[in-house]
Amino acid sequence: MTAEATGEWHGWRAAAEAALYGPEGFYRRPEGPAGHFRTSVHASPLFARAVARLLCRVDEALDRPATLDFVDMAAGRGELVTGVLAALPAEVAARTRAYAVEIADRPQALGHRIEWLPEPPPRSTGLLFANEWLDNVPVEVAEVDSAGVPRRVLVRRDGTERLGEPVAGPEAEWLDRWWPLASAADGTRAEIGLPRDEAWAAAVGTVDRGLAVAVDYAHTAANRPPFGTLTGFREGRETAPVPDGSCDLTAHVALDACALPGARLLSQREALRALSITGARPSLELASTRPAEYVRALAAAGEAAELTATGGLGDFGWLVQPVGIPNVLTGPAD
C-alpha cells in the first residue's frame, strides 16, 4: 500500500490546516501566538493607538453612526482589540461594538465588552482589521520539476516532502495570472494564494460600509520570491516548517492578488506615518526643560522606529479596502 493510500502524504494546505487549527493545533495552545513570535501589536502600544486613530477616521467617514463596529481578525488573545478600545476617545468608545475573531477559546481576562467569535459577524459597519491573518491561511505549494511542470508539493507530518500531481484547474489559472512558472527553472517554488484571495473576499463581504485592512508579510508580482517563503516559527525563532503542531507555519501573502477593486497597497511605514507614527526623535531642548517627558518621548520614538523600520516591520504590506466610503488612509502617493 502506498503512503498516499494510508493518508501519510498530504498537500501543504491540508497539512498546515491540521497542524495549525486541528484539535491539537498550534493556534489552540494555551500560550497563544505571543508565546512564539512578536507582531506589531506586541512590539508597541503605538500600533493599537494608530489603529484606533484609523477607526476614528472611519467613524467620521460614516457620519458617526450610533453603533461603530471594530472587528479584529485573528485576534490572538485579544491584545489589539483591547488596546484599540483603550485608545479611543470616550465618545467613540461608547459607540463601539468590538469583536475578536479567533478559533482558540476566549481568554478569561478579556474585557466583557469584547465579543469573541470563531468567524467575523455576518454584517458590520466600521473597521475590519486583519493583522497577520492571511499569512496563516494555508495554501498549496507548487514546485517546478525537471521537465518544467509545476507540481503540488506533498508533505508528511515530520516535514519530509516529495512532488505530487501537476497543478491543474483554478490553482493552475491562479499561478498563470499571479505567479507564472512557465519558464521557471527546476526547483522553483510558488505558494498558490487562491485560498487567501477567497478568504479576504469573504471577510470584506461582511462589511456593509467602512474599511477592511489586511496587514501582513507580503510580496507583489514585481518581486515574487523564486523559492517561496514557507517557514516555521517556534519560541521566537525561525525554524523548518514541520506540520506537526509544534510550530507556526506561515508564508508571505500575494497581497496584489487579494486586492479587490478600489483597494490600495502601501507599506506599513507609509500607513503608520499617515497615522502620525513617525519615529521622529524629540527635541533636545525638551531634555533640559522637561526631562521626564523627554524620556517618555524618546522611548515612544524608539518604538515607532521599530514599527516603521526598513528591513523589518515597516516593510509589511497594508491592503486597504474601502467599502462604501472614501479612502481614509492616505499616504505619500495620494
Side-chain angles (χ1 to χ4, degrees):
M1 183 177 292
T2 67
E4 283 175 292
T6 63
E8 190 175 353
W9 293 97
H10 301 280
W12 265 107
R13 184 181 180 186
E17 185 75 33
L20 295 176
Y21 307 116
E24 305 298 324
F26 176 82
Y27 276 95
R28 297 188 185 276
R29 295 170 61 153
E31 71 271 19
H36 293 269
F37 53 86
R38 189 166 177 260
T39 71
S40 296
V41 178
H42 308 117
S44 170
L46 292 176
F47 190 79
R49 292 174 201 166
V51 176
R53 204 166 290 143
L54 180 58
L55 180 57
C56 288
R57 291 189 186 182
V58 173
D59 183 45
E60 291 177 8
L62 292 169
D63 295 324
R64 298 179 176 83
T67 300
L68 177 68
D69 295 318
F70 177 64
V71 182
D72 180 11
M73 297 291 296
R77 294 300 179 262
E79 299 96 335
L80 178 60
V81 64
T82 299
V84 168
L85 285 176
L88 289 172
E91 188 276 330
V92 179
R95 291 185 286 109
T96 298
R97 182 168 53 189
Y99 300 93
V101 181
E102 183 58 72
I103 65 160
D105 293 337
R106 179 189 180 99
Q108 291 185 353
L110 191 70
H112 70 279
R113 288 193 55 194
I114 300 167
E115 188 169 350
W116 192 262
L117 300 174
E119 56 188 31
R123 303 184 68 178
S124 64
T125 299
L127 174 61
L128 181 145
F129 199 87
N131 185 59
E132 297 195 38
W133 168 49
L134 289 173
D135 69 299
N136 286 127
V137 174
V139 294
E140 297 291 1
V141 177
E143 181 177 318
V144 178
D145 68 12
S146 58
V149 177
R151 294 181 176 272
R152 271 206 315 156
V153 176
L154 304 180
V155 62
R156 285 175 169 162
R157 196 170 184 270
D158 65 1
T160 304
E161 293 181 334
R162 72 171 179 83
L163 297 186
E165 69 278 9
V167 178
E171 293 179 340
E173 294 172 6
W174 188 94
L175 281 179
D176 288 342
R177 180 178 180 185
W178 294 109
W179 201 329
L181 296 176
S183 58
D186 181 13
T188 301
R189 285 193 169 199
E191 289 113 18
I192 305 174
L194 181 61
R196 293 166 173 179
D197 299 359
E198 294 169 344
W200 181 242
V204 173
T206 66
V207 181
D208 285 340
R209 290 183 69 222
L211 192 71
V213 178
V215 180
D216 237 308
Y217 301 94
H219 48 69
T220 60
N223 61 353
R224 303 286 190 226
F227 301 105
T229 60
L230 179 67
T231 192
F233 280 94
R234 182 187 297 113
E235 297 177 356
R237 296 185 178 184
E238 190 168 0
T239 185
V242 178
D244 61 359
S246 68
C247 65
D248 186 28
L249 298 170
T250 177
H252 294 197
V253 183
L255 278 181
D256 50 344
C258 296
L260 299 169
R264 179 163 186 244
L265 289 172
L266 63 166
S267 70
Q268 175 154 296
R269 183 165 45 258
E270 293 170 321
L272 291 184
R273 285 175 179 171
L275 294 166
S276 302
I277 305 296
T278 66
R281 293 171 65 91
S283 167
L284 285 174
E285 182 181 351
L286 190 63
S288 57
T289 58
R290 298 191 296 276
E293 184 177 338
Y294 173 80
V295 171
R296 289 193 296 270
L298 190 62
E303 292 175 4
E306 181 182 1
L307 291 173
T308 58
T310 300
L313 295 174
D315 291 344
F316 271 54
W318 282 47
L319 171 57
V320 181
Q321 183 75 55
V323 181
I325 64 170
N327 176 20
V328 297
L329 183 58
T330 56
D334 295 285

